[in-house]
Amino acid sequence: MHLPKWHYLLAAFVLCPPAQAGESTCYGTPSNGRLEGGVSLPNAGANFHTYGRVPSALGRTYVHAKVRDTLTSAYKRLEALTPGVPYVFAESGWATGGSFKPHKTHQNGLSVDLMVPVRRHDGTPVPMPTHAFNRYGYDIEFDATGRSDDLVIDFDALGALMLALADAARTNGIGVQRVIFAPDLQPALYASEHGKEVRRRVTIPTKRSWVRHDEHIHVDFSVPCQPLNKYPK
């Protein structure tokens, strides 16, 4: 169910105050790293919200400050590019980084999972349904055509999201290192409205990862990090 915007804004205020300003320092790599000065993603904005108020309140949506700024800037760009499309972000990492089960990465504040934008079969844009009973969206499965029950992946909006991330990252002085998305769904992405530009500007590996990445994309941002042995004890 798509709840009114005020619901998410109220939840953001009550459960997760606005992330503080400040500098962050990443150490090591996404698969072996730590984070200093991590900031939480805001629970909601005009066209986006968290995958779950409980996991966000438990601290599973912390990132490097430049990643936070890039994501919020990208969503702002998408208000004009894809009006009426709701976006849902998923988990990213702990405030101080480190092991983040069940993920193999997400350790230094530079990795974020973003749920794919979806529509009903009649074309109505809706937020990805995320709740405890479907493991906050991670248990949703899409077939090779991008369909799952009464949902279909909005590949046009997904392409717009990837390009908005690339543009916002450049504005914030960082980069998008790679985006992981299911190889069997990539042809539909490249055939979409922004497909040619996505193929040209965004690195999307064709090798299958240990999980399929059909209901979400995994984004690794590129930020200069300190060696892990420099992390303050």
Side-chain angles (χ1 to χ4, degrees):
M1 180 174 65
H2 189 190
L3 297 175
K5 186 193 306 181
W6 66 262
H7 176 95
Y8 297 112
L9 295 177
L10 178 61
F13 178 78
V14 173
L15 289 175
C16 192
Q20 67 276 22
E23 295 293 328
S24 299
T25 303
C26 54
Y27 296 83
T29 67
S31 59
N32 185 25
R34 301 287 290 181
L35 178 64
E36 184 179 14
V39 297
S40 59
L41 293 172
N43 266 10
N47 62 342
F48 70 92
H49 64 264
T50 177
Y51 73 131
R53 291 175 292 166
V54 171
S56 285
L58 291 175
R60 296 185 67 85
T61 55
Y62 275 80
V63 292
H64 190 288
K66 285 188 176 293
V67 171
R68 184 271 314 273
D69 294 344
T70 293
L71 282 173
T72 54
S73 296
Y75 288 136
K76 185 65 177 177
R77 292 167 187 258
L78 290 166
E79 288 183 46
L81 292 172
T82 57
V85 175
Y87 293 89
V88 179
F89 68 85
E91 50 196 27
S92 47
W94 302 120
T96 56
S99 179
F100 190 63
K101 296 184 182 303
H103 304 273
K104 294 183 176 180
T105 57
H106 292 255
Q107 292 197 22
N108 67 347
L110 305 186
S111 303
V112 180
D113 286 351
L114 305 176
M115 292 296 172
V116 296
V118 293
R119 293 178 180 266
R120 299 291 185 199
H121 284 195
D122 63 4
T124 304
V126 293
M128 177 75 83
T130 56
H131 47 73
F133 297 105
N134 65 8
R135 207 162 57 91
Y136 293 98
Y138 281 96
D139 281 345
I140 296 175
E141 296 287 340
F142 289 90
D143 64 21
T145 68
R147 294 177 178 269
S148 177
D149 296 328
D150 62 339
L151 298 175
V152 60
I153 296 174
D154 186 340
F155 289 102
D156 290 342
L158 179 59
L161 171 61
M162 292 183 184
L163 294 178
L165 290 170
D167 290 338
R170 183 174 63 247
T171 299
N172 283 282
I174 65 175
V176 175
Q177 180 180 357
R178 63 174 181 170
V179 174
I180 298 178
F181 184 50
D184 59 315
L185 293 171
Q186 291 177 22
L189 171 65
Y190 294 136
S192 67
E193 178 182 2
H194 306 287
K196 289 183 179 180
E197 190 173 1
V198 168
R199 185 190 288 271
R200 181 175 65 85
R201 296 181 54 196
V202 181
T203 298
I204 307 177
T206 56
K207 182 180 179 180
R208 292 185 179 183
S209 58
W210 69 290
V211 295
R212 184 162 169 249
H213 290 86
D214 54 329
E215 80 291 337
H216 77 278
I217 60 173
H218 170 101
V219 184
D220 283 327
F221 290 92
S222 178
V223 177
C225 294
Q226 297 293 322
L228 184 57
N229 59 15
K230 295 286 186 66
Y231 182 77
K233 302 299 183 182

